[in-house]
Amino acid sequence: MSNYLRPPALKPGDQVGIIAPSFPSAVWFPRRLAVSLDALRTQLSVQPVLAEHVYKAQTYVSGPINERAIELQKFLESPSISAVFTTLGGFNSNELLPYLDFQTLKNKPKIFVGYSDTTLLQLALTSTCRWVTFSGPALLPQFGEYPEAQPFTVNNLKAILMGDCSDMDLLDAPQRTHEFLDWSADEAYSRARQMQFNPGRQVWRKGQARAPLFGGNIETINFLIGTPWLQWPDEFILFVEATEAEATLPRIQRALVHLKQCGVFERVRGFLFGQCPDACQTAGQTLEEMVLQVLQEYEFPIVAELSFGHSDPMLTLPNGCMANIQADQDQARVTLLESAVDLSVANAAPCAGPAAALEKAVPI
């Protein structure tokens, strides 16, 4: 078992805090917000509690830095909030880090879910507080889907947050979609995105690895290097993903080389790459060829095209949770070796009151 602290498991009826650490997406897309809140209630059976800054927009962020940080801190400390979810990512979650009191959060782990720019906050909590955190769905992009959130995404999230996921294989979604629908248009609320067959994971290098998971969005990880909020595990399974412009091959290569020059890959025992549809072949070179070239001096297994990151439907990966990779010539098994949550700890009972009242900032 890893030495990271597992948060109490999520239960039906629990209150979950909703924050917007960067983009003011709920202000830009209020209809998407309403749909996603309904999906949280019906598909995850939890009660959303929105921070006040979720309804604010200050240029391209959701309100002043101190307001976002204060409300996040309150959610992380409040015994009535069982988990924290994000509305979306963005680019500016890192400006919250100096305003958070990590010392008060030690030994009090709580479920914290998100991906993309939220990687900064998750790895900071995993590094400084030894929390298991969860690289998984965000509110608007995943729970705002029509006619409902992808069952694969929800079922995997529930298995990780509400059950014992020890000896659980992280499987590929049978279908996937990368179709874009404008959230401000009626079409996004009247038809599902078109699904395609998912060819599944690829073994880029064979091998076996056993270590805690640690990772997220690759460029976001790089922005943490050199700060006091990142502490690399002695050994770990690195998982990364990229999207849009950051997923072009020259930028992924630059990010990998930076990690390499910082000595990160000396600690890596296995490498997982999420689906990156924007990582197109460039100047005759594929993503696989580039990755193998950059990492040619290492021997750890590499498995790619996994269903996590900016991909739908998506897996939830717990940072700090012990996992095993068994990668053979044409197949790979990725298995969680321990529960990501503490099933023996009972969360505080959710506050009574109508659902409408629970969608305001939690009174702490």
Side-chain angles (χ1 to χ4, degrees), residues 149-158 170-175 307-308 312-316:
Q150 298 275 355
F152 178 93
T153 299
V154 176
N155 291 338
N156 181 262
L157 180 67
K158 291 172 71 173
L170 297 176
L171 304 176
D172 297 321
Q175 293 183 306
S307 300
F308 69 84
D312 288 299
M314 68 189 303
L315 292 165
T316 296

Side-chain angles (χ1 to χ4, degrees), residues 59-114:
T59 63
Y60 42 79
V61 294
S62 53
I65 299 172
N66 63 326
E67 291 185 13
R68 285 178 280 149
I70 288 171
E71 290 189 291
L72 171 56
Q73 185 82 32
K74 287 181 178 179
F75 277 158
L76 293 175
E77 292 182 3
S78 172
S80 67
I81 298 296
S82 301
V84 177
F85 283 70
T86 61
T87 54
L88 192 70
F91 294 102
N92 305 105
S93 293
N94 60 345
E95 60 189 6
L96 304 185
L97 293 172
Y99 296 84
L100 297 174
D101 185 354
F102 292 99
Q103 189 64 35
T104 63
L105 300 174
K106 291 184 176 180
N107 302 317
K108 300 177 182 178
K110 178 171 294 186
I111 292 170
F112 187 51
V113 187

Side-chain angles (χ1 to χ4, degrees), residues 32 141 145-146 150 176-183 187-188 191-196 277 310-312:
R32 187 84 176 187
E145 289 269 26
Y146 178 88
Q150 298 275 355
R176 66 183 182 186
T177 180
H178 300 129
E179 183 184 14
F180 171 78
L181 292 180
D182 184 353
W183 292 354
E187 184 181 23
R191 77 165 179 89
R193 291 192 291 166
Q194 296 180 353
M195 304 296 291
Q196 298 177 335
H310 290 77
S311 177
D312 288 299

Side-chain angles (χ1 to χ4, degrees), residues 273-309:
F273 222 113
Q275 292 180 354
C276 298
D278 300 313
C280 302
Q281 180 173 314
T282 304
Q285 188 177 51
T286 65
L287 177 62
E288 178 182 2
E289 292 168 341
M290 180 271 288
V291 170
L292 291 175
Q293 178 182 352
V294 172
L295 303 179
Q296 59 184 314
E297 63 263 51
Y298 306 100
E299 297 182 352
F300 50 73
I302 303 175
V303 183
E305 291 296 313
L306 292 158
S307 300
F308 69 84

